[in-house]
Amino acid sequence: MKPLPPTLRTKKRYILVGIEPPGTGADQKDFYHAVADAVTSLFGDVRAAAISPAVISSGPDYVIIRCARGGEQDLRIALSTVTAAGDGRIVLRPRATSGTLHALRRRLPEERPDEPEQPAEVHFGGRVYIARRYQGQKVDLMEKGIKSQELLFLTQNDLEEL
Amino acid sequence: MTIADACIHPYPEGDSSLRRMAVEAGELGFDSIVVPDGTPLIYSGVRVIPAVLIAEETVRAVSGQLRKRGNGQSLVMVNAGENGFNRAVLNLKGVHMLRNLHLTRKQSFNHVCARQAADRGVAIDLDLYPVIHAAGRTRQRVLVRFGELIRLYSRYRFPLTISSNARSVLDLRSVEEITLLCSLFGMEEDDVQAALTTVGGLLNPPGPVRVLP
């Protein structure tokens, strides 16, 4: 089959979006559902169809979302209203918009070097948490357990004062 | 220039420590955050402005709380109520901000209140939490309400503030995201910038020039 000439193809935009907290365990399908639901909830089916959001790639702390040209601003607004993906609470922070995937991939966050070994277990408020340190002074605490683990967001200074 | 999130709730009300909130707010483009019952602090380049949050149903109770808790160093925020209550609160000395107007009835803040707020320099707070977290009819009602407030604002130019009411770092939004969210109810980018810088002037309002001997 002869491919459609470039002038007749629908123009796309690609948005690089940061995921916080990184490594939530949600997969691409979860992100797609979260974004599609947010767009539909905010702008309705007609506008969602025009925007046509699609998740085309993801990593532990980023996701690349495609949309129709002209829909990127509405998509960014809808991304601000995403609060969960899969079972985890997240926030999506748009980092860059581009007309080509090639340009966007150059702006992907670099793999972070492993943090030095730190005590993994932290006792806080009578509960046991697993500490996860990243980006210098930030420390995320995840309650040890199987179900409905509580998340706490602290800094290194907070931990030292415990 | 102070770019401030006008209300956040760190641990123990939320799941993020005050310092972590400050770090994240700094990364998102803020240089100040307002914290109810907080202590003055500068952390990671972000100034923590303490606030007094008054949630009473009668003007008398609000006056009592103002006398008891208003110390001149903290921003005083009062939860809005019916029209008469709001008009009386706007006349009270020491009130800096009227908030939660989206939870009140349509006529609770009309052109009379708008003029009063402009004359007295009391800021009206736009809480973005329901815009981000609610859906369906609830969010529609909030957007309509904020749209009405923006219409009054464009006529009377009373001070506006914008708050995320974040209880977690995951609830904080960047200045750019806030600008985009505010476009949903017809707020212009310049007005958003002005609203984000309002907090800095509320504690130190410009007064008449005094000639010192």
Side-chain angles (χ1 to χ4, degrees):
Chain A
M1 196 173 72
K2 200 175 174 185
L4 207 59
T7 51
L8 292 181
R9 290 179 204 159
T10 314
K11 300 287 185 290
K12 303 287 186 191
R13 283 288 177 269
Y14 301 91
I15 302 181
L16 173 63
V17 182
I19 304 168
E20 287 179 21
T24 49
D27 59 14
Q28 275 195 33
K29 204 172 172 183
D30 294 327
F31 285 119
Y32 170 73
H33 285 302
V35 172
D37 287 349
V39 173
T40 309
S41 167
L42 198 58
F43 297 110
D45 290 336
V46 176
R47 187 71 189 127
I51 294 170
S52 312
V55 173
I56 56 170
S57 163
S58 72
D61 57 357
Y62 75 90
V63 58
I64 295 178
I65 302 172
R66 185 184 67 202
C67 68
R69 189 174 72 177
E72 58 267 29
Q73 178 150 335
D74 286 349
L75 180 58
R76 286 167 74 105
I77 298 174
L79 289 175
S80 313
T81 66
V82 173
T83 55
D87 296 329
R89 288 175 59 211
I90 56 152
V91 59
L92 298 178
R93 307 227 186 262
R95 305 250 187 258
T97 305
S98 175
T100 63
L101 263 179
H102 182 69
L104 210 57
R105 289 220 158 101
R106 280 189 303 217
R107 303 181 68 164
L108 283 180
E110 289 174 14
E111 291 288 325
R112 291 198 184 98
D114 288 335
E115 297 281 332
E117 279 298 311
Q118 300 282 351
E121 276 193 8
V122 175
H123 293 263
F124 182 74
R127 294 178 182 176
V128 183
Y129 293 86
I130 304 288
R132 179 184 172 160
R133 292 167 169 80
Y134 61 101
Q135 288 178 22
Q137 53 185 331
K138 296 182 187 175
V139 183
D140 292 353
L141 299 186
M142 183 185 265
E143 190 180 357
K144 230 177 162 183
I146 299 167
K147 280 184 79 180
S148 53
Q149 298 130 304
E150 189 188 28
L151 261 176
L152 291 176
F153 302 95
L154 310 177
T155 62
Q156 191 61 40
N157 288 350
D158 294 318
L159 271 191
E160 285 163 9
E161 283 181 11
L162 286 179
Chain B
M1 191 164 63
T2 305
I3 297 179
D5 187 327
C7 191
I8 64 162
H9 305 272
Y11 188 85
E13 228 177 308
D15 64 10
S16 309
S17 71
L18 177 58
R19 288 181 182 132
R20 179 64 180 270
M21 287 277 212
V23 170
E24 297 279 353
E27 287 177 5
L28 294 173
F30 294 95
D31 56 28
S32 305
I33 48 178
V34 177
V35 180
D37 301 322
T39 47
L41 171 79
I42 295 179
Y43 188 80
S44 199
V46 175
R47 180 182 165 210
V48 176
I49 302 172
V52 173
L53 180 53
I54 298 175
E56 297 287 354
E57 289 183 355
T58 63
V59 183
R60 198 172 176 170
V62 172
S63 297
Q65 290 282 339
L66 265 175
R67 273 196 302 276
K68 204 159 60 177
R69 298 167 66 195
N71 54 13
Q73 304 297 315
S74 305
L75 272 181
V76 176
M77 309 191 285
V78 180
N79 282 353
E82 293 298 320
N83 184 280
F85 174 87
N86 294 342
R87 283 167 63 173
V89 165
L90 287 169
N91 271 328
L92 289 176
K93 195 166 183 256
V95 173
H96 297 112
M97 207 188 290
L98 192 64
R99 65 195 289 275
N100 278 357
L101 272 168
H102 64 279
L103 298 177
T104 61
R105 286 190 195 172
K106 194 180 173 184
Q107 285 304 318
S108 64
F109 190 85
N110 55 12
H111 63 289
V112 181
C113 296
R115 197 179 302 137
Q116 250 181 321
D119 291 344
R120 307 275 307 177
V122 178
I124 302 303
D125 184 51
L126 301 177
D127 176 6
L128 292 183
Y129 192 89
V131 178
I132 295 166
H133 291 83
R137 192 77 191 100
T138 312
R139 177 154 62 188
Q140 290 165 27
R141 265 198 294 265
V142 174
L143 291 175
V144 169
R145 198 79 175 84
F146 285 172
E148 289 164 358
L149 283 173
I150 293 303
R151 268 203 299 281
L152 285 171
Y153 167 75
S154 58
R155 172 77 176 80
Y156 295 100
R157 309 305 286 186
F158 47 81
L160 277 178
T161 57
I162 297 173
S163 61
S164 65
N165 253 318
R167 286 175 163 74
S168 166
V169 289
L170 303 181
D171 297 335
L172 289 170
R173 293 294 181 270
S174 68
V175 172
E176 192 186 351
E177 287 171 309
I178 285 175
T179 308
L180 287 172
L181 284 167
C182 288
S183 71
L184 288 174
F185 45 86
M187 199 169 174
E188 300 287 338
E189 193 176 338
D190 292 343
D191 294 337
V192 175
Q193 291 297 324
L196 290 172
T197 56
T198 299
V199 167
L202 286 176
L203 277 175
N204 303 305
V209 176
R210 285 186 303 161
V211 180
L212 297 173

